[in-house]
Amino acid sequence: MKRLLLMEAFIAISISLMAGEPSKTYKNPVVNYSLPDPTVIEAEDGYFYLYATEDIRNLPIHRSKDLVNWESVGTAFTTETRPTFEPKGNLWAPDINKIGDKYVLYYSMSRWGGEWTCGIGVATANCPAGPFKDHGMMFRSNEIGVQNSIDPFYIEDNGRKYLFWGSFRGIYGVELKEDGLAVKLGAEKKQIAGTAYEGTYIHKRNGYYYMFASTGTCCEGLKSTYQTVVGRSKSLWGPYLNKQGKTMLENNHEVLISKNKSFVGTGHNAELVTDKAGNDWILYHGVSVANPHGRVLLLDRVNWKKGWPIVKNNSASTEAKKPKL
């Protein structure tokens, strides 16, 4: 009888393998080429769409149904339609949103060293794959008075629309017009975090606002010190505090994701995605020790403990269970 059961189990395993039963796990990176500074949105067609800094010219767009298997679907712009307000500038750190019936893409336009001439622009599309129509510059560093005005993040709160931004010169926010395409007339900017941060993302959960950001150097290959950090507040406008009650205005925070033996430079996360099991997931970039060319796309589960987000081992996984999508 025991032999029979063992034989049946062996046959069942063999059949499942032959049938190509899908794996319940995934391996990092989920994209093994450079897709830095990701932003993601779930669209009505059942796909997640991801946009990234233009290591692929004209700002790449990828899509996936499971956050693990991604395919390229083109770029947000073409050579003819790409923004031009910063001569010789590149498109960095986009942020995708659905405002009304439009997909609204905020982007940074900058060149290395151009911290007073860089700025943030906005484009719209009817569908997430584009084509996107550029509406031009919203503001420039030297106009709004914030050096290195890049890395936009949009959020709606209590019926109002806001944009947050900044890169190692302070994190700032300002209210937008109802359509989200321009700064509201008369609105004044406010600083909410210090000079250690860039790549802001604010997540609302259970009465708290969690500000995710990145510290360190992003772009020095295996020498990159980038890491993902977080603080929380009872108000959108802060103060954002660490577990000891010290403020992010003074560069205090909790470390969420740092380097390990497989990945370094782990930062600039996208929006959190919740799967059907109620688990939260975070996409971000890092430098692969095995393939140190550009910043590859990484995925990890975010757990919550005593009101704070945590990632297992405070670093990127090499293999983990897939999201339930």
Side-chain angles (χ1 to χ4, degrees), residues 92-93 108 120 149-153 164-167 198-200 226 268:
W92 296 348
S108 315
I120 292 170
S149 283
I150 60 172
D151 292 4
F153 167 71
F164 290 85
W165 77 96
S167 174
E198 67 174 6
T200 304
Y226 226 33
H268 205 119

Side-chain angles (χ1 to χ4, degrees), residues 117-266:
T117 58
C118 63
I120 292 170
V122 62
T124 59
N126 294 324
C127 65
F132 280 83
K133 176 184 178 182
D134 183 39
H135 295 270
M137 182 181 68
M138 298 176 70
F139 55 81
R140 195 188 290 271
S141 294
N142 55 11
E143 295 174 356
I144 204 163
V146 177
Q147 187 177 355
N148 214 17
S149 283
I150 60 172
D151 292 4
F153 167 71
Y154 168 89
I155 189 171
E156 296 182 17
D157 191 54
N158 295 322
R160 294 184 175 183
K161 298 174 173 64
Y162 303 96
L163 193 75
F164 290 85
W165 77 96
S167 174
F168 303 130
R169 301 292 185 265
I171 301 298
Y172 290 80
V174 73
E175 188 172 355
L176 301 179
K177 291 183 178 180
E178 182 62 27
D179 62 7
L181 301 183
V183 174
K184 185 176 180 180
L185 187 64
E188 295 186 4
K189 66 181 185 291
K190 180 180 178 180
Q191 186 175 357
I192 63 166
T195 57
Y197 310 110
E198 67 174 6
T200 304
Y201 162 62
I202 299 172
H203 178 73
K204 294 188 285 186
R205 175 186 167 91
N206 295 341
Y208 280 100
Y209 297 81
Y210 294 85
M211 186 167 76
F212 296 78
S214 297
T215 67
T217 58
C218 68
C219 310
E220 297 180 359
L222 294 177
K223 295 181 180 179
S224 299
T225 60
Y226 226 33
Q227 58 183 3
T228 306
V229 302
V230 66
R232 73 179 189 181
S233 172
K234 283 286 189 178
S235 165
L236 176 65
W237 293 99
Y240 287 88
L241 309 174
N242 67 4
K243 290 179 181 179
Q244 288 73 44
K246 296 180 179 180
T247 176
M248 292 183 80
L249 276 168
E250 297 176 355
N251 298 328
N252 298 288
H253 50 257
E254 299 296 324
V255 175
L256 183 69
I257 309 171
S258 57
K259 69 177 182 179
N260 59 25
K261 64 181 181 180
S262 297
F263 300 101
V264 302
T266 48

Side-chain angles (χ1 to χ4, degrees), residues 29-42:
V30 290
V31 174
N32 198 23
Y33 52 82
S34 198
L35 283 179
D37 311 326
T39 177
V40 68
I41 193 169
E42 185 175 8

